[in-house]
Amino acid sequence: MVDEKLREMVASEERTLTDASLHVIEAGGKRMRPTVTLLSYKALGGEDTEKIVDVAAAFELIHSATLIHDDINDGGLARRGRETVYKKYGLHSAIVTGDFLFVKAFSLGGKFDKMVVQTTADACARLAEGEVLQNRFRHTNEMTVDTYIKVMERKTAEPIRAGAMIGGYLANGPAELVSELGAYGMNLGIAFQIIDDVLDFVGDERRTGKPTGMDIKEGYLTLPSLLAMKSSEQARKEILRVVREESPSAEELRRCVSMVIDSGAVEKAKGMGEYYALEALQHIGSLPDTVYSRSLRELVGKVLNRDS
C-alpha cells in the first residue's frame, strides 16, 4: 500500500519529475521509515490502515528527497547499484525533483493535526541541521565520535523517531508509550547508521550497491575510521591524509580501508551499534505483546545483521 501511494504521489504532467522520482523510489530501499511508522501504529492498536499509510509514505518521500540532495552535495555517482538521479537526469532536474518530493510529502502529512505536522517539520529541520553539521567537518581532522553521533541522530534517527511517535499518537496510544516508541526510533536509527557505516568498509559491493571506502573518498570520517584513528599514530596520520584529499587514488583508498579493518575498529563499531540496538529494545519492553510489537523487536535484529 505504501509503494502504491508513493507511485501515485509522484505522478506529474512533467514526465522528468515522475521518472526521476521513481528512479530513486523504486531502487530497492529498506523502507525503514515507513516500516517503523506502520508497526508503531499497529502496536498501539491502530486500525485505520489507509490513514497511517499516508504518513508512512510521507516519511519515505522525505527520505527519497534527502538522498537526491545528498548525492548532489557529495557528487555521488551510484546509489543502490544504479546511477544517482543527479548523474542520470542532471543537476537542475535532481534539485527540482528533491523539492518536488518534499512538497508531495507535506501534502500527505498536512492532512493531519498540528502534532503530526509539527513533529514532521521538526524532524526535517533537524535533518537539515545534521547535513550542515556533517558538511562542516568534511575533509577535516576535527570530527569526533560525539559529533558523529549528533550527526547520525539528526540525519538518520530523527525521521525514524518522528515516524514511530506519530504512529503511536495516531493510534491514540498513551503518551508514555508514544514517548517510548520515539526513543526506540532514535536508538534504532543510530544503530542502523552505524551498521551502514561499517558496511562501507566490509560490505559486498554487489549487495550494498556501492564500492567500499566511499565515505573516506567523499571526505567523511565515520565511526569505524574514527575508532581506527585511535589505534595507532600511523593509522591516524594515514586516514587523515586521505580524508583531506579531494580525489584520493584507488590505491590510497584500498590501503585506508585495510588499515581500518586491521585495526579492529569494525568490531568496535559493531559493538557500539549493538549498544544502541539494546537501548532500542529497552524502550519497547512495555508495549502490549502482539505480532506488531514482536516485529518491532525483530527489526532490531535485522538492522544489526544486515549485509546491504
Side-chain angles (χ1 to χ4, degrees):
M1 290 175 73
V2 169
D3 283 343
E4 287 175 8
K5 178 62 68 173
L6 292 172
R7 286 190 288 271
E8 173 192 323
M9 292 304 296
V10 301
S12 169
E13 292 179 6
E14 293 298 327
R15 188 69 201 175
T16 298
L17 284 174
T18 301
D19 290 347
S21 298
L22 291 175
H23 185 76
V24 64
I25 286 169
E26 295 181 343
K30 312 294 183 303
R31 300 292 192 259
M32 173 65 68
R33 291 143 192 86
T35 297
V36 171
T37 304
L38 293 165
L39 287 176
S40 297
Y41 179 73
K42 292 289 191 177
L44 294 192
E47 295 179 353
D48 187 348
T49 304
E50 287 191 18
K51 177 172 72 173
I52 199 61
V53 160
D54 281 353
V55 177
F59 276 105
E60 189 65 15
L61 288 171
I62 290 166
H63 176 55
S64 298
T66 62
L67 293 182
I68 293 172
H69 287 165
D70 278 357
D71 288 334
I72 294 168
N73 289 336
D74 300 338
L77 303 180
R79 181 179 288 277
R80 297 170 178 167
R82 56 166 67 183
E83 280 185 308
T84 59
V85 171
Y86 149 73
K87 180 72 165 57
K88 183 176 177 66
Y89 294 94
L91 178 60
H92 178 268
S93 292
I95 292 172
V96 175
T97 300
D99 295 343
F100 174 71
L101 291 175
F102 271 120
V103 170
K104 288 296 184 177
F106 273 90
S107 73
L108 285 172
K111 299 176 182 178
F112 298 95
D113 65 24
K114 182 179 179 181
M115 182 276 184
V116 174
V117 174
Q118 192 63 56
T119 301
T120 306
D122 288 346
C124 288
R126 298 284 282 173
L127 201 159
E129 291 166 358
E131 181 64 41
V132 170
L133 179 61
Q134 183 181 47
N135 197 60
R136 187 186 307 157
F137 294 95
R138 190 179 184 189
H139 295 302
T140 76
N141 62 349
E142 296 168 10
M143 177 64 84
T144 65
V145 172
D146 285 346
T147 303
Y148 165 84
I149 295 297
K150 286 180 183 176
V151 170
M152 297 310 107
E153 285 175 351
R154 296 175 186 183
K155 279 196 67 176
T156 304
E158 274 288 349
I160 298 174
R161 171 181 174 270
M165 289 187 69
I166 290 171
Y169 170 78
L170 290 177
N172 296 314
E176 62 272 17
L177 288 185
V178 172
S179 178
E180 292 283 32
L181 281 168
Y184 163 87
M186 173 62 75
N187 284 283
L188 181 71
I190 297 171
F192 180 89
Q193 188 60 54
I194 288 173
I195 299 303
D196 206 62
D197 293 339
V198 163
L199 289 173
D200 187 61
F201 289 92
V202 297
D204 183 338
E205 182 179 341
R206 291 167 297 182
R207 300 282 298 158
T208 63
K210 62 178 184 177
T212 55
M214 286 303 292
D215 288 331
I216 286 177
K217 182 178 181 181
E218 292 169 357
Y220 297 117
L221 289 171
T222 60
L223 186 60
S225 50
L226 288 167
L227 294 175
M229 283 164 51
K230 295 182 178 182
S231 66
S232 72
E233 186 61 24
Q234 180 189 358
R236 179 179 175 278
K237 286 180 178 178
E238 180 65 15
I239 292 169
L240 287 180
R241 185 182 67 77
V242 175
V243 88
R244 287 193 190 110
E245 291 185 27
E246 286 292 335
S247 300
S249 69
E251 175 57 27
E252 286 176 316
L253 283 176
R254 187 199 63 75
R255 192 166 63 247
C256 213
V257 168
S258 295
M259 193 170 284
V260 171
I261 294 171
D262 293 344
S263 74
V266 166
E267 287 71 26
K268 290 178 182 176
K270 285 181 180 177
M272 284 187 67
E274 289 170 2
Y275 166 80
Y276 284 102
L278 288 172
E279 283 291 300
L281 288 173
Q282 290 289 328
H283 285 288
I284 56 171
S286 56
L287 291 181
D289 185 23
T290 66
V291 64
Y292 305 109
S293 60
R294 288 194 292 274
S295 291
L296 284 170
R297 287 191 283 274
E298 289 167 8
L299 188 58
V300 176
K302 289 181 184 296
V303 163
L304 285 179
N305 296 315
R306 67 194 182 95
D307 60 3
S308 66

